[in-house]
Amino acid sequence: MKIEKADVIVTSPDRNFVTLRLQTDDGLTGLGDGTLNGRELAVVSYLRDHVVPLLIGRDASRIEDTWQFLYRGGYWRRGPVTMAAIAAVDVALWDIKGKAAGMPLYQLLGGACRTGLLAYGHASGADIAELTESIRRHLEEGYRAIRVQSGVPGLHSVYGVASSANARTGSQAGTDTRYDYEPARRNDVPVQETWDTGAYLRHLPSVFEAVRAEFGAGLPLLHDAHHRLTPIQAARLGKSLEPYDLFWLEDCTPAENQEALRLVRQHTTIPLAIGEVFNTIWDYQVIVREQLIDYVRSAVTHAGGVTHLRKILDYAAQYQIKSGMHGPTDVSPVGMAAALHLGLAIHNFGIQEYMPHSERTSQVFRQSCTFEGGLLHPGERPGIGVDLDLDESGKYPYQRAYLPYNRLSDGTIHDW
Ligand code: EZ4
Ligand code: CO
């Protein structure tokens, strides 16, 4: 089972995706996701120029060995570009192994630990009325856990809040505009937004108070602070949200400073989730060992694939820390499928972020996963269960796109 062909496919059905497609000499194909939002072509070059030449002729069954070869052999370790490229190879090899065995990937990982994966959806609103409507709509769609993001009085646009009128009504016609804040925007320069931490900290508790009053005590609620707070601000936010019993507070501080979370932990019992921008187990070394977090946010796509994320999650399991894999639409259906197989097979699954991809994306990537009764399932097809329609993907060439960035009112750049 030798790798005979390796293609890097870039397609942009409403947003950019980078996919590695491996083919073996016995006719099996495997897909891996290497999408890095806003920096996609760096991964494309890493794969095409540096990795693909090493793959041709390799034994496709040797997943761990190939992982170690790419990680150690490259000498320059870690980093989002490297780890997304390695993830693409790793998932494509797992896909091939599943097809060779005639089994869905989760079976190769040990079999199902549960019937399905609890998913959370993204509700948002510029004000309480819009937010309430958005939560209601998600509940109607079957979600049993909800991330709550809200506008802040005085700020024009805020992370995670859908902005257009169309977005607020949830129109799914054509492109999915409901999550219009989510794709990197297709501008030649990044869009600038304005941020005010004080206004946010003052406003947010009233949002959760209103949501709890409307929807009761039992609905799991999550919130993403998107790296914008200092440690002491994060501690204060955690304390002020404690009465509303959040499932988690995500990315409360900038992720590079692992020790910052010690201070947050001293002051609040709010569960903490972190790590969507982490890419190796080393980024978790301190915060797992010191039990400074409750959920690991890394995606298969950004943390070296199934092989490496499983090691992170096994390490976390020793400390009762669970998975909370990143699942925005910038993780492709291929990366999402791999995440669902892993989530089904591990014991310490926590929750899975889930935003449906657009219609166009789903025509390029034919998926077998299901979402029923609030639970995701990767399906029973051999491998990861996703096919790439090359004719469809060819219709959507790459379009440069950037995530927004923030400035404070005095012009200082702030974390986005
Ligand atoms: O901003 O995926 O929890 N989800 C998030 C996402 C990230 C984007 C970045 O590419 O924080 O919305
Ligand atoms: Co996040």
Side-chain angles (χ1 to χ4, degrees):
M1 200 165 68
K2 284 195 179 349
I3 300 171
E4 200 176 62
K5 200 163 174 287
D7 296 304
V8 183
I9 297 152
V10 182
T11 180
S12 192
D14 297 323
R15 65 176 312 144
N16 295 313
F17 296 108
V18 175
T19 312
L20 177 68
R21 186 171 176 275
L22 299 182
Q23 204 171 306
T24 66
D25 54 5
D26 42 6
L28 295 174
T29 57
L31 299 176
D33 178 25
T35 307
L36 192 60
N37 200 6
R39 294 292 186 271
E40 298 88 357
L41 298 187
V43 184
V44 172
S45 168
Y46 194 107
L47 284 169
R48 271 191 194 145
D49 297 331
H50 304 292
V51 173
V52 163
L54 305 176
L55 295 178
I56 306 303
R58 280 187 78 83
D59 181 348
S61 68
R62 297 181 65 181
I63 299 179
E64 178 73 26
D65 182 69
T66 300
W67 195 98
Q68 300 295 343
F69 172 64
L70 294 175
Y71 184 80
R72 292 172 200 277
Y75 186 64
W76 307 105
R77 299 177 185 188
R78 315 197 287 173
V81 176
T82 298
M83 299 311 289
I86 293 177
V89 176
D90 184 76
V91 170
L93 292 178
W94 277 112
D95 194 18
I96 287 170
K97 196 179 277 296
K99 288 175 182 173
M103 286 184 199
L105 172 57
Y106 77 83
Q107 292 289 7
L108 301 186
L109 299 175
C113 270
R114 56 195 54 79
T115 54
L117 307 177
L118 177 66
Y120 72 90
H122 285 204
S124 70
D127 55 28
I128 301 289
E130 284 180 10
L131 176 60
T132 302
E133 184 198 320
S134 173
I135 295 173
R136 226 175 267 299
R137 197 173 59 239
H138 281 84
L139 294 176
E140 282 162 19
E141 287 169 8
Y143 285 97
R144 297 194 337 215
I146 307 280
R147 190 185 85 161
V148 170
Q149 304 296 135
S150 163
V152 174
L155 294 183
H156 173 67
S157 64
V158 173
Y159 166 78
V161 179
S163 57
S164 73
N166 198 19
R168 287 180 203 137
T169 58
S171 164
Q172 298 255 16
T175 63
D176 185 347
T177 53
R178 182 170 49 155
Y179 300 120
D180 68 329
Y181 64 86
E182 181 59 29
R185 295 187 196 144
R186 290 170 171 182
N187 291 21
D188 281 341
V189 294
V191 171
Q192 183 186 310
E193 296 180 349
T194 306
W195 180 244
D196 179 342
T197 303
Y200 164 79
L201 290 176
R202 285 190 296 277
H203 182 62
L204 202 61
S206 69
V207 172
F208 277 92
E209 183 165 358
V211 170
R212 278 286 175 231
E214 183 69 25
F215 295 96
L219 179 63
L221 298 176
L222 303 84
H223 180 72
D224 190 349
H226 229 236
H227 324 279
R228 293 175 183 200
L229 310 178
T230 65
I232 200 68
Q233 288 169 339
R236 173 183 156 194
L237 180 64
K239 276 176 88 162
S240 65
L241 294 181
E242 269 173 27
Y244 312 111
D245 188 23
L246 267 61
F247 186 97
W248 77 34
L249 172 62
E250 174 185 347
D251 286 339
C252 59
T253 53
E256 302 92 320
N257 183 6
Q258 295 194 25
E259 292 167 14
L261 296 174
R262 287 182 190 147
L263 191 135
V264 182
R265 277 291 211 220
Q266 281 164 20
H267 292 282
T268 177
T269 58
I270 195 167
L272 299 176
I274 210 158
E276 69 185 41
V277 302
F278 291 0
N279 44 69
T280 68
I281 197 165
W282 307 107
D283 299 320
Y284 288 97
Q285 191 173 25
V286 171
I287 56 180
V288 167
R289 190 181 62 224
E290 295 189 17
Q291 305 182 81
L292 301 180
I293 61 167
D294 302 282
Y295 295 93
V296 165
R297 285 287 288 148
S298 287
V300 167
T301 303
H302 301 131
V306 167
T307 296
H308 193 66
L309 185 54
R310 175 145 209 179
K311 290 176 185 176
I312 296 174
L313 293 171
D314 284 347
Y315 171 45
Q318 311 314 310
Y319 299 88
Q320 290 72 49
I321 297 168
K322 297 185 179 189
S323 73
M325 289 178 228
H326 196 206
T329 53
D330 47 279
V331 169
S332 89
V334 172
M336 191 65 180
L340 300 187
H341 285 281
L342 181 56
L344 201 61
I346 56 173
H347 177 253
N348 59 328
F349 169 81
I351 199 166
Q352 174 65 54
E353 183 178 26
Y354 176 51
M355 303 170 73
H357 287 100
S358 77
E359 261 311 304
R360 273 194 206 114
T361 298
S362 300
Q363 276 159 19
V364 171
F365 298 94
R366 311 282 167 140
Q367 312 174 53
S368 60
C369 74
T370 54
F371 179 57
E372 279 161 23
L375 303 182
L376 288 160
H377 192 285
E380 299 296 341
R381 281 167 49 191
I384 61 168
V386 180
D387 289 325
L388 176 64
D389 185 324
L390 286 171
D391 292 336
E392 279 295 313
S393 72
K395 291 182 188 168
Y396 308 109
Y398 173 78
Q399 287 188 271
R400 189 162 60 229
Y402 290 103
L403 286 160
Y405 73 109
N406 269 325
R407 284 188 192 276
L408 305 180
S409 59
D410 69 356
T412 309
I413 297 242
H414 193 72
D415 298 279
W416 183 74

